[in-house]
Coordinates of all heavy atoms in Angstrom, one line a residue:
N1 N 21.6 58.2 13.9 CA 20.7 59.3 14.1 C 19.5 59.4 13.2 O 18.8 60.4 13.2 CB 21.6 60.6 13.8 CG 22.5 60.9 15.0 OD1 22.4 60.4 16.1 ND2 23.5 61.7 14.7
I2 N 19.3 58.4 12.4 CA 18.1 58.4 11.5 C 17.3 57.1 11.7 O 17.8 56.0 11.6 CB 18.5 58.5 10.0 CG1 19.4 59.7 9.7 CG2 17.3 58.5 9.1 CD1 19.9 59.8 8.3
E3 N 16.0 57.3 11.9 CA 15.1 56.1 11.9 C 13.9 56.5 11.1 O 13.4 57.7 11.2 CB 14.6 55.7 13.3 CG 13.7 54.6 13.3 CD 13.2 54.1 14.7 OE1 13.8 54.6 15.7 OE2 12.2 53.4 14.8
F4 N 13.4 55.7 10.3 CA 12.1 55.9 9.6 C 11.0 55.2 10.2 O 11.1 53.9 10.4 CB 12.3 55.4 8.1 CG 13.2 56.3 7.2 CD1 14.5 56.0 7.2 CD2 12.6 57.4 6.5 CE1 15.4 56.8 6.4 CE2 13.4 58.1 5.7 CZ 14.8 57.9 5.7
R5 N 9.9 55.9 10.5 CA 8.7 55.2 11.0 C 7.5 55.5 10.0 O 7.0 56.6 9.9 CB 8.3 55.8 12.4 CG 7.1 55.1 13.0 CD 7.1 55.3 14.5 NE 8.2 54.6 15.1 CZ 8.7 54.9 16.3 NH1 8.1 55.8 17.1 NH2 9.8 54.2 16.8
L6 N 7.2 54.5 9.2 CA 6.2 54.6 8.2 C 4.8 54.3 8.8 O 4.7 53.3 9.5 CB 6.5 53.8 7.0 CG 7.9 53.9 6.4 CD1 8.0 53.2 5.0 CD2 8.3 55.4 6.2
T7 N 3.9 55.1 8.4 CA 2.5 55.0 8.9 C 1.7 54.4 7.9 O 1.6 54.8 6.7 CB 2.0 56.4 9.4 OG1 1.9 57.3 8.2 CG2 2.8 57.0 10.5
M8 N 0.8 53.5 8.3 CA -0.1 52.7 7.5 C -1.5 52.7 8.3 O -1.5 52.0 9.3 CB 0.3 51.4 7.1 CG 1.7 51.3 6.4 SD 2.2 49.7 6.1 CE 4.0 49.9 5.9
N9 N -2.5 53.3 7.9 CA -3.7 53.4 8.6 C -4.9 52.6 8.1 O -5.7 52.1 8.9 CB -4.2 54.9 8.7 CG -3.0 55.8 9.2 OD1 -2.2 56.3 8.3 ND2 -2.9 56.1 10.5
C10 N -5.0 52.5 6.8 CA -6.2 51.9 6.3 C -6.0 51.5 4.9 O -5.0 51.7 4.3 CB -7.4 52.9 6.4 SG -7.2 54.4 5.4
V11 N -7.1 50.8 4.3 CA -6.9 50.3 3.0 C -7.9 50.9 2.0 O -8.1 50.3 0.9 CB -7.1 48.7 3.0 CG1 -6.0 48.1 3.8 CG2 -8.5 48.3 3.6
D12 N -8.6 51.9 2.4 CA -9.5 52.6 1.4 C -9.2 54.1 1.3 O -8.4 54.7 2.1 CB -11.0 52.4 1.8 CG -11.3 52.9 3.2 OD1 -11.1 54.1 3.4 OD2 -11.7 52.2 4.2
D13 N -9.9 54.7 0.4 CA -9.6 56.2 0.1 C -10.5 57.1 0.9 O -10.3 58.3 0.8 CB -9.9 56.4 -1.4 CG -8.9 55.7 -2.3 OD1 -7.7 55.5 -1.8 OD2 -9.3 55.4 -3.4
Y14 N -11.4 56.6 1.7 CA -12.3 57.5 2.4 C -11.6 58.4 3.4 O -11.8 59.6 3.5 CB -13.4 56.7 3.2 CG -14.3 57.6 4.1 CD1 -15.3 58.3 3.5 CD2 -14.1 57.6 5.4 CE1 -16.1 59.1 4.3 CE2 -14.9 58.4 6.3 CZ -15.9 59.1 5.6 OH -16.7 60.0 6.4
W15 N -10.6 57.8 4.1 CA -9.9 58.5 5.2 C -8.7 59.2 4.6 O -8.4 60.3 5.1 CB -9.4 57.5 6.3 CG -10.6 56.9 7.0 CD1 -11.1 55.7 6.9 CD2 -11.3 57.6 8.0 NE1 -12.2 55.5 7.8 CE2 -12.3 56.7 8.5 CE3 -11.3 58.9 8.7 CZ2 -13.2 57.0 9.5 CZ3 -12.2 59.2 9.6 CH2 -13.2 58.3 10.0
Q16 N -8.0 58.7 3.7 CA -6.8 59.2 3.2 C -6.9 59.4 1.7 O -6.5 58.6 0.9 CB -5.6 58.2 3.5 CG -5.4 58.0 5.0 CD -4.4 57.0 5.3 OE1 -4.0 56.9 6.5 NE2 -3.8 56.3 4.4
Q17 N -7.4 60.6 1.4 CA -7.7 60.8 0.0 C -6.6 61.0 -0.9 O -6.6 60.7 -2.1 CB -8.7 62.1 -0.1 CG -10.0 61.9 0.7 CD -10.7 63.2 1.0 OE1 -10.5 64.1 0.2 NE2 -11.5 63.2 2.0
G18 N -5.5 61.6 -0.4 CA -4.4 61.9 -1.3 C -3.0 61.2 -1.0 O -2.1 61.4 -1.6
S19 N -3.0 60.4 0.1 CA -1.9 59.7 0.5 C -1.6 58.4 -0.2 O -2.6 57.9 -0.9 CB -1.9 59.4 2.0 OG -3.0 58.6 2.3
P20 N -0.4 57.9 -0.2 CA -0.1 56.6 -0.9 C -0.9 55.4 -0.5 O -1.2 55.4 0.8 CB 1.4 56.4 -0.8 CG 2.0 57.8 -0.4 CD 0.8 58.4 0.4
Y21 N -1.3 54.6 -1.4 CA -2.0 53.3 -1.0 C -1.0 52.5 -0.1 O 0.2 52.6 -0.3 CB -2.4 52.6 -2.2 CG -3.2 51.3 -2.0 CD1 -4.4 51.4 -1.3 CD2 -2.8 50.1 -2.4 CE1 -5.2 50.3 -1.1 CE2 -3.6 48.9 -2.2 CZ -4.8 49.1 -1.5 OH -5.6 48.0 -1.3
Y22 N -1.5 51.8 0.9 CA -0.6 51.2 1.8 C 0.4 50.2 1.2 O 1.5 50.0 1.7 CB -1.4 50.5 2.9 CG -2.0 49.2 2.5 CD1 -1.3 48.0 2.9 CD2 -3.2 49.0 1.8 CE1 -1.8 46.7 2.5 CE2 -3.6 47.8 1.5 CZ -3.0 46.6 1.8 OH -3.5 45.4 1.5
M23 N 0.0 49.6 0.1 CA 1.0 48.7 -0.6 C 2.2 49.4 -1.1 O 3.3 48.9 -1.2 CB 0.3 47.9 -1.7 CG -0.6 46.9 -1.2 SD 0.2 45.6 -0.2 CE 1.3 44.8 -1.4
R24 N 2.1 50.7 -1.5 CA 3.2 51.6 -1.9 C 4.0 51.9 -0.7 O 5.3 52.0 -0.8 CB 2.7 52.8 -2.6 CG 1.9 52.5 -3.9 CD 1.7 53.9 -4.6 NE 2.9 54.5 -5.0 CZ 3.0 55.8 -5.5 NH1 2.0 56.6 -5.4 NH2 4.2 56.2 -5.8
T25 N 3.4 52.1 0.5 CA 4.2 52.4 1.7 C 5.0 51.1 2.1 O 6.2 51.3 2.5 CB 3.3 52.8 2.8 OG1 2.5 54.0 2.4 CG2 4.1 53.2 4.0
I26 N 4.4 49.9 1.9 CA 5.2 48.7 2.1 C 6.4 48.7 1.2 O 7.5 48.2 1.6 CB 4.3 47.5 2.0 CG1 3.2 47.5 3.2 CG2 5.1 46.2 2.0 CD1 2.2 46.3 3.0
G27 N 6.2 49.0 -0.1 CA 7.3 49.0 -1.0 C 8.4 50.0 -0.6 O 9.5 49.7 -0.7
A28 N 8.0 51.2 -0.1 CA 9.0 52.2 0.4 C 9.7 51.6 1.6 O 10.9 51.8 1.7 CB 8.2 53.4 0.9
L29 N 9.0 50.9 2.5 CA 9.6 50.3 3.7 C 10.7 49.3 3.2 O 11.8 49.3 3.8 CB 8.5 49.5 4.5 CG 9.0 48.7 5.8 CD1 9.5 49.7 6.8 CD2 7.9 47.9 6.3

C-alpha cells in the first residue's frame, strides 16, 4: 500500500529555491 515517487527536476537553485539538491534526493531514494 506504499510507494514513494521522488521528484528531481533540475540541478540549479533558480527554479527550486528551498528544495533539496537533487543529489540529496538520490540519497533519500
Side-chain angles (χ1 to χ4, degrees):
N1 283 343
I2 302 175
E3 178 180 348
F4 288 89
R5 184 159 295 160
L6 302 195
T7 59
M8 305 176 201
N9 309 87
C10 62
V11 296
D12 60 58
D13 294 330
Y14 176 78
W15 292 103
Q16 299 177 169
Q17 300 165 23
S19 60
Y21 187 58
Y22 79 97
M23 288 300 293
R24 295 189 65 197
T25 304
I26 291 177
L29 178 69

